Amino acid sequence: MNILVTGGAGYIGSHTCLELLESGYGVVVIDNLCNSNPKSLERVEALTGKKITFYEGDVRDEALLQRIFAENQIGCCIHFAGLKAVGESVAQPWRYYDNNLNSTLVLTKVMQQVGMKNLIFSSSATVYSADNEMPLSETAKTGNCTNPYGWTKYMTEQILSGMCTAEKDWSVCLLRYFNPIGAHKSGLIGEDPRGIPNNLMPYITQVAIGRREQLSVYGNDYDTPDGTGVRDYIHVVDLAKGHVAAVKYTTQHTGCEVFNLGTGVGYSVLDMVNTFQEINNVAVPYQIVDRRPGDIATCYANPAKSAALLGWKTQETLADMCRDAWNWQSKNPHGYSEDSQS
């Protein structure tokens, strides 16, 4: 079966393409490369010895999507494509709503036309309200998002669940990610953010490699064991394998199901920094600065439903995540753009 992967050249997308190929699926990718690099897919092909069918273009391009479905027998779609920087979404809300909502609307319109209604959506723990108790289960309160990026994920969930209610032959999995980090063990594919990283791990690795002077830790006065924010960090390879499990589920069921993809364990910012330094024997200078507005003290998943229905559990430890992230960064000091393996 061929899987259409929108945004497949990105960080999570490229790792998922690799796991799909390793599991025997054909992979078709559409990506406009606005926040990704085609070298990621070349390296996935090198690692697997299998070809990816690649289309450079925007998911909002209805004619291109129609051509992709006409030229490939697609059995399921994994929808990653979307803008994803929280701070940028606050500065450019219209751009985020236009891109993230319209890409879903155009994609589902074309899927409706061709009669292929199996969809896995890349959602986020940002859809959960800040006033929930931990750990977060799929039935926890959603909404009250703190930024336009989070609202686009929430609204897309509403769109897709509404479609499943109206038309019973749709099969949709909404996968709520927690905090993906790490890289493939080969060190050939990994996270390559453009500009200043928005997430903790690539900032740590860029400090460790010497691209940045020091890490800023936002707040050390939270109600947590060491005062720094606690999050559920998940290895990107575990996350990718969750999508393979979701493909199997989606093609065997109808309706709309929500799944948390997380470890169920919370680690603090300083847990991460200390583990990274210890495992890799490299220094990560940091300074404590003021809290960021909108950040909460603690956020971690209850992944029991994913274990029960998808048969999926995480395998990698925090040490594995730190080791693999450094392996990628040290082999690719400037990401895909200027490294020695380009």
Side-chain angles (χ1 to χ4, degrees), residues 257-303:
E257 285 286 354
V258 181
F259 294 102
N260 284 335
L261 295 187
T263 65
V265 179
Y267 292 103
S268 74
V269 174
L270 292 184
D271 286 334
M272 174 81 82
V273 172
N274 294 332
T275 302
F276 186 92
Q277 294 183 127
E278 182 182 336
I279 288 294
N280 298 309
N281 194 28
V282 61
V284 180
Y286 65 88
Q287 62 172 348
I288 306 295
V289 298
D290 291 341
R291 293 184 184 189
R292 285 184 302 195
D295 277 355
I296 59 174
T298 303
C299 181
Y300 61 99
N302 176 353

Side-chain angles (χ1 to χ4, degrees), residues 247-262:
V247 168
K248 294 173 185 170
Y249 185 89
T250 304
T251 51
Q252 294 170 1
H253 298 80
T254 55
C256 183
E257 285 286 354
V258 181
F259 294 102
N260 284 335
L261 295 187

Side-chain angles (χ1 to χ4, degrees), residues 12 14 22 30 51 73 95 103 106 110 116 125 138 146 182 191 193 213 230 237 271 288 297-298 321 329:
I12 303 171
S14 58
E22 295 280 27
I30 176 173
K51 293 294 290 180
Q73 282 215 298
R95 180 171 169 242
S103 64
V106 173
V110 175
M116 200 289 290
E138 289 82 355
T146 57
E191 188 168 11
E213 189 176 336
V230 168
V237 172
D271 286 334
I288 306 295
T298 303
M321 301 178 213
Q329 186 73 83

